[in-house]
Amino acid sequence: MISILMIILSSPLLILAAIAIRLDSKGPIFYSQERVGQYGKPFKVWKFRSMITDAEANGPQWADKNDSRITKVGAFLRKSRIDEIPQFLCVLAGDMSIVGPRPEREFFIEKLKKEVPLYGRRLLMKPGITGWAQVRHHYDTSIEDVKQKIMYDLYYFENMSLGLDIQIMLRTVWVVFTGSGAH
């Protein structure tokens, strides 16, 4: 119900974002990418495109704070988290939850399982649009960021509750409206 409501209420914003992306750079408005969900099940995640087309022509990589691949409109979409709104379609499809750890790509999961103890426990949870790690830490730009976020994800895993989910959603609204915690 929340996903349907979010899509309906944000539709004027979604239209404006689509127009801005189209005017700012060549390429598609939406970006899809295969991610790994609960129990290792692959699925397509949908976002507004915030980078240039073929941003990963040289292979998968994390975006950094001043990444030259991010478009002007994309920087705003990321900071405001508007680029994440299409993921409510993934919630409707049952691949994601509103709250949970961020879904990751297989390439990075295999690497992180070797470097970060307990990383695989994240796959026991349905991935989410927002989560404890997202409201407590910034975007991943290094393995150290991932290690910190894993600690937040494991805290969430051990303390999952409706109360914590509501707290995370309220903090997400705060992050969106203030830009705090966002790159």
Side-chain angles (χ1 to χ4, degrees):
M1 292 295 291
I2 293 173
S3 292
I4 292 170
L5 186 63
M6 283 298 299
I7 292 168
I8 291 169
L9 292 177
S10 65
S11 60
L13 184 61
L14 298 175
I15 292 167
L16 289 173
I19 292 168
I21 292 167
R22 177 65 62 197
L23 294 174
D24 183 50
S25 62
K26 293 179 182 178
I29 292 169
F30 295 101
Y31 173 76
S32 73
Q33 187 177 68
E34 188 169 279
R35 300 284 176 103
V36 177
Q38 188 175 28
Y39 307 123
K41 178 187 169 201
F43 71 98
K44 290 275 188 190
V45 68
W46 290 90
K47 298 173 88 172
F48 277 119
R49 184 176 56 83
S50 61
M51 291 189 170
I52 59 171
T53 306
D54 296 328
E56 292 192 326
N58 297 325
Q61 54 191 294
W62 278 304
D64 61 36
K65 190 173 182 177
N66 298 309
D67 200 314
S68 63
R69 299 173 301 153
I70 300 172
T71 65
K72 290 177 186 174
V73 168
F76 173 76
L77 294 176
R78 282 174 170 236
K79 185 166 179 66
S80 63
R81 307 286 206 227
I82 293 170
D83 66 323
E84 308 279 350
I85 295 173
Q87 290 179 49
F88 282 102
L89 296 172
C90 299
V91 174
L92 287 174
D95 294 320
M96 291 179 70
S97 177
I98 293 174
V99 178
R102 295 294 298 148
E104 190 54 81
R105 293 182 277 175
E106 181 73 30
F107 174 85
F108 290 119
I109 287 175
E110 293 308 314
K111 180 178 178 179
L112 293 167
K113 279 183 179 177
K114 295 174 188 168
E115 297 184 39
V116 181
L118 304 175
Y119 185 86
R121 291 190 72 191
R122 293 176 81 245
L123 299 177
L124 298 174
M125 298 177 273
K126 190 172 276 195
I129 295 172
T130 188
W132 191 239
Q134 285 67 50
V135 298
R136 303 291 297 176
H137 202 66
H138 53 76
Y139 280 116
D140 298 343
T141 58
S142 69
I143 191 72
E144 294 308 314
D145 287 336
V146 173
K147 287 177 182 178
Q148 181 62 49
K149 281 188 156 182
I150 292 298
M151 298 310 296
Y152 289 125
D153 287 338
L154 293 177
Y155 173 86
Y156 176 75
F157 184 66
E158 298 295 329
N159 296 283
M160 267 192 254
S161 68
L162 180 60
L164 184 56
D165 284 358
I166 290 169
Q167 181 182 0
I168 290 167
M169 287 186 274
L170 291 173
R171 285 180 180 232
T172 300
V173 171
W174 176 257
V175 167
V176 168
F177 284 113
T178 66
S180 65
H183 283 264

